[in-house]
């Protein structure tokens, strides 16, 4: 990949730092009263998820990382790997391990589209869509007149995720859930 100067780096730019692909979260240009100007970069390691700050002299360059974010459809899991397919017509499949899937694991639903970050053709991270519709597999039954206080109860979804839901939700209902917070949004509307 091409080299990127510190003045060209923006939030979201992917670069190589110490042999690992990193995403730039923030680039602050500092011009002290005495001495040479420098850039303070806030970086996230795409492999480990670690966030740290690093300073570079103004004008320094970093190698751009060969990282692509692609929409892929989740197919299945064999217990060790989770398989995703490119939806652009090539039907190319990629196997992601547990570290790549991470927190998205509890939101994986077959035939749903996810954003998969590829580094040198291998899945590095999987991001769930902001909202997903999942069926309730298990919850306590709702009792008529039990909603006066606006309480909530735990509900287990088909993916294994636990979500707090209103008391009137029953087994078999399809819910719309915010994957960023893990909170119940509403009952799913018919498509």
């Amino acid at each position: 990949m091409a080299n990127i100067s510190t003045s060209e780096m923006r939030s979201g730019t992917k670069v190589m730092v110490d042999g690992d692909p990193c995403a730039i979260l923030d680039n602050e240009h500092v011009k002290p009263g005495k001495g040479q100007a420098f850039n303070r970069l806030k970086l996230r390691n795409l492999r480990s998820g670690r966030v740290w700050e690093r300073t570079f002299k103004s004008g320094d360059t970093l190698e751009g990382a060969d990282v692509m974010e692609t929409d892929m459809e989740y197919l299945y899991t064999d217990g060790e790997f989770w398989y995703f397919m490119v939806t652009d017509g090539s039907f190319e499949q990629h196997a992601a391990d547990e570290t790549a899937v991470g927190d998205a694991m509890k939101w994986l639903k077959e035939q749903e589209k996810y954003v998969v970050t590829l580094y040198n053709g291998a899945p590095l991270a999987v991001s769930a869509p902001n909202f997903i519709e999942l069926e309730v597999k298990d919850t306590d039954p709702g009792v008529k007149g039990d909603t006066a206080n606006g309480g909530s109860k735990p509900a287990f979804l088909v993916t294994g995720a636990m979500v707090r839901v209103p008391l009137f939700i029953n087994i078999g209902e399809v819910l719309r859930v915010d994957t960023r917070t893990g909170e119940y949004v509403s009952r799913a509307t018919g498509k």
Side-chain angles (χ1 to χ4, degrees), residues 51-178:
V51 176
W52 79 99
E53 285 188 2
R54 189 107 173 247
T55 58
F56 296 93
K57 289 188 278 184
S58 286
D60 279 358
T61 60
L62 292 173
E63 180 185 354
D66 185 20
V67 175
M68 293 176 21
E69 291 185 343
T70 310
D71 286 335
M72 292 190 185
E73 184 178 306
Y74 172 63
L75 298 175
Y76 65 94
T77 181
D78 63 6
E80 184 178 357
F81 292 100
W82 288 260
Y83 294 89
F84 294 85
M85 178 180 66
V86 179
T87 57
D88 65 0
S90 70
F91 304 109
E92 182 181 349
Q93 292 185 17
H94 295 274
D97 61 7
E98 189 172 352
T99 57
V101 175
D103 291 339
M105 188 182 309
K106 60 185 173 187
W107 308 117
L108 291 180
K109 178 181 171 187
E110 290 179 3
Q111 299 178 348
E112 190 75 32
K113 286 189 171 65
Y114 296 85
V115 176
V116 179
T117 304
L118 297 173
Y119 173 62
N120 291 337
L124 197 58
V126 176
S127 301
N130 291 343
F131 298 98
I132 193 163
E133 295 181 358
L134 296 168
E135 184 180 339
V136 176
K137 184 173 82 174
D138 186 34
T139 188
D140 295 333
V143 179
K144 188 172 182 173
D146 209 8
T147 59
N149 295 333
S152 65
K153 63 182 179 180
F156 294 92
L157 307 176
V158 291
T159 60
M162 192 280 290
V163 177
R164 304 272 324 157
V165 297
L167 298 172
F168 58 82
I169 299 295
N170 293 311
I171 295 172
E173 291 190 57
V174 179
L175 307 179
R176 185 172 172 85
V177 179
D178 187 336

Side-chain angles (χ1 to χ4, degrees), residues 1-38:
M1 290 283 305
N3 286 339
I4 302 170
S5 170
T6 52
S7 62
E8 299 168 331
M9 294 179 191
R10 305 284 179 260
S11 181
T13 304
K14 313 289 192 288
V15 294
M16 296 296 291
V17 178
D18 298 333
D20 282 338
C22 298
I24 296 175
L25 302 176
D26 188 34
N27 182 1
E28 179 185 1
H29 179 77
V30 179
K31 190 172 180 184
K34 189 175 179 181
Q36 183 179 3
F38 61 91

